[in-house]
Amino acid sequence: MLEILSLIRQDGDPGWCRSVPNWDRGPWLETLLGYRRAKNNARPRIISSHLPVHMFPKAFFGSKAKVIYTVRDPKDVLVSLFHFARIFRPYKDPGSLEEFMEKFLEGDGAK
């Protein structure tokens, strides 16, 4: 979605996508670094988030911002998170995919 929005923002010119990392083009609102980047980005801004809408800043609801809500297939989420947890050290070892799936279904995820 970020690639599509980046291309729309640049009238189809892929130069921006190729030269600016995705974390600068669509920073994550829920991180301090992402929030700071988003505030300093030129308008119209692209901001990414995993936050539920009720946790968005109050100013958002009075703005002219537009939201694109993307939903992923739960199987895709499981497999993606499993592989991410295997390489991202702050997560505990996910074990086998089957073990991870059981934890995921219980709501434990990769904590």
Side-chain angles (χ1 to χ4, degrees):
M1 185 55 61
L2 179 58
E3 295 303 309
I4 294 168
L5 292 174
S6 296
L7 287 168
I8 291 170
R9 184 177 183 264
Q10 297 304 115
D11 296 321
D13 180 4
W16 191 51
C17 298
R18 292 180 182 147
S19 63
V20 178
N22 62 3
W23 56 84
D24 282 336
R25 286 184 279 132
W28 292 94
L29 179 64
E30 54 264 46
T31 67
L32 185 56
L33 182 59
Y35 174 74
R36 288 179 180 154
R37 280 187 175 138
K39 278 183 26 179
N40 293 322
N41 280 356
R43 293 174 186 241
R45 296 181 183 118
I46 299 172
I47 300 171
S48 301
S49 180
H50 282 119
L51 291 175
V53 72
H54 72 275
M55 294 184 73
F56 275 37
K58 294 199 185 315
F60 170 81
F61 299 101
S63 74
K64 294 181 181 180
K66 304 205 177 16
V67 175
I68 297 175
Y69 185 78
T70 305
V71 179
R72 291 172 63 190
D73 177 338
K75 181 180 175 186
D76 176 52
V77 173
L78 169 75
V79 173
S80 178
L81 184 57
F82 171 72
H83 289 292
F84 183 70
R86 290 177 56 207
I87 63 170
F88 191 59
R89 288 300 102 211
Y91 284 144
K92 65 182 178 186
D93 179 5
S96 70
L97 181 58
E98 292 77 19
E99 293 168 331
F100 186 78
M101 182 177 73
E102 289 302 319
K103 292 177 191 168
F104 182 84
L105 293 172
E106 292 171 3
D108 188 25
K111 297 178 193 171

